[in-house]
Amino acid sequence: MVEELLGAAVGVGVAGLVYLAAAARVVKQYERGVILRLGRLRGQVRQPGFTLIVPAVDRLHKVNMQIVTMPVPAQEGITRDNVTVRVDAVVYFKVVDASAAIINVEDYRFAVSQMAQTSLRSIIGKSDLDDLLSNREKLNQGLELMIDSPAVGWGVQIDRVEIKDVSLPETMKRSMARQAEADRERRARIINADAELQASKKLAEAAHQMADAPSALQLRLLQTVMAVAAEKNSTLVLPIPVELLRFLERGAQHPDYRSVEPRTEHTALSAESTPENTDANTGANTAEK
């Protein structure tokens, strides 16, 4: 009799241990447990830690509550300005309602992926090429709103959407490179022209200053000679006196200067002739006649 009671107790203990092993579940800190009892949602979402279910009746679904990083496959499309591009992105999302993620949608990861691809193609068709290349922050916000609107009913919250890369055709890359090169050349020419204008203004001021002080030109000439001589090169410098340049300049301005001066002396001599010489010349002319 005692042996039978001991055997029964051992059997009950073993059955209890088997039942406990089948019913025991552990939910991790970053997970939430959803219980479906005979296909119906049962009670509250199980929190992290040790929990028990009814074996063969309950089914525990663990939902990861961490932020999921999902790459969006590259999508080809035509922009609003008729340029073919290939754009890929990445979506960051997390589950905020474990029950809705299990009940309302079959596979929330696949649903988010498909919605992200559709929204990305839609954004490509509504945007210009310049917006895709330079105004990505605004496009990211618009893409996030497009994905987050249907995801709210799935118990999913879109944390962030980023456009990773925009691939262009080779012909478009070459055209953009030529455009950028032409723009840089234009800016370089404008800068050079501005520099020439400023230099001409400074040279004009220096010329007026040297005109007021003629000795400044001679000093500047000597400084130039010293600068050239300090370079130790084979350049031969022959300085010309400034006075010689001024003499040549006056000669160029008055080409008949030398012919005018003898005539002036002859006139002066004629003006200084005396009355006696005049009478003698007159008598000599009369005798000859």
Side-chain angles (χ1 to χ4, degrees):
M1 187 66 181
V2 176
E3 294 178 356
E4 292 179 357
L5 293 176
L6 291 175
V10 171
V12 172
V14 172
L17 290 176
V18 172
Y19 178 84
L20 183 62
R25 296 290 186 274
V26 176
V27 180
K28 298 180 181 179
Q29 181 64 38
Y30 54 85
E31 295 177 339
R32 299 294 183 270
V34 179
I35 299 296
L36 295 179
R37 177 168 296 176
L38 298 177
R40 294 175 63 88
L41 183 64
R42 178 67 180 177
Q44 298 291 331
V45 175
R46 301 295 175 91
Q47 298 299 318
F50 181 81
T51 185
L52 294 175
I53 64 174
V54 179
V57 177
D58 293 343
R59 178 169 294 182
L60 177 65
H61 295 272
K62 298 180 181 179
V63 181
N64 193 334
M65 307 297 289
Q66 292 177 315
I67 295 178
V68 180
T69 303
M70 176 180 293
V72 181
Q75 303 295 316
E76 291 186 358
I78 301 177
T79 61
R80 191 167 56 181
D81 51 353
N82 298 326
V83 179
T84 303
V85 295
R86 185 180 179 89
V87 183
D88 58 349
V90 59
V91 180
Y92 302 89
F93 68 94
K94 63 181 180 180
V95 178
V96 294
D97 189 350
S99 299
I102 296 297
I103 302 300
N104 295 344
V105 63
E106 180 180 2
D107 187 353
Y108 66 90
R109 290 175 179 267
F110 181 74
V112 171
S113 176
Q114 294 300 313
M115 180 57 64
Q117 296 180 34
T118 305
S119 302
L120 183 58
R121 286 194 296 267
S122 179
I123 283 291
I124 292 173
K126 294 179 181 179
S127 305
D128 295 331
L129 179 60
D130 294 339
D131 294 335
L132 290 175
L133 296 177
S134 60
N135 197 12
R136 293 188 180 181
E137 190 65 28
K138 182 178 179 181
L139 296 180
N140 293 337
Q141 294 177 0
L143 190 59
E144 180 180 348
L145 291 176
M146 294 179 66
I147 303 174
D148 190 56
S149 297
V152 172
W154 305 337
V156 177
Q157 178 183 355
I158 305 300
D159 187 71
R160 190 173 181 84
V161 181
E162 293 286 346
I163 295 177
K164 292 198 302 184
D165 188 24
V166 178
S167 300
L168 300 174
E170 293 297 330
T171 55
M172 180 58 64
K173 290 181 181 180
R174 289 194 294 268
S175 299
M176 295 177 65
R178 289 195 298 269
Q179 179 183 359
E181 184 179 358
D183 184 67
R184 290 182 178 275
E185 185 177 358
R186 177 183 62 84
R187 285 185 293 177
R189 290 183 178 180
I190 291 175
I191 293 174
N192 289 333
D194 190 16
E196 292 293 338
L197 177 61
Q198 295 180 7
S200 62
K201 290 181 179 180
K202 294 298 181 181
L203 290 175
E205 294 178 1
H208 290 299
Q209 189 70 23
M210 290 181 180
D212 296 336
S215 59
L217 183 60
Q218 184 67 24
L219 294 175
R220 182 57 183 163
L221 179 61
L222 295 176
Q223 291 178 356
T224 304
V225 172
M226 292 177 62
V228 174
E231 295 180 0
K232 298 181 180 180
N233 51 21
S234 59
T235 304
L236 181 61
V237 179
L238 296 176
I240 301 176
V242 179
E243 290 77 6
L244 180 59
L245 296 177
R246 291 176 180 173
F247 176 77
L248 295 176
E249 183 180 0
R250 286 198 302 268
Q253 293 178 356
H254 301 284
D256 56 345
Y257 176 75
R258 296 181 179 178
S259 59
V260 171
E261 186 176 358
R263 293 180 181 178
T264 304
E265 294 178 354
H266 180 71
T267 305
L269 292 174
S270 299
E272 292 177 357
S273 59
T274 57
E276 291 81 1
N277 295 333
T278 304
D279 295 337
N281 293 333
T282 303
N285 293 333
T286 303
E288 289 177 359
K289 290 180 179 182

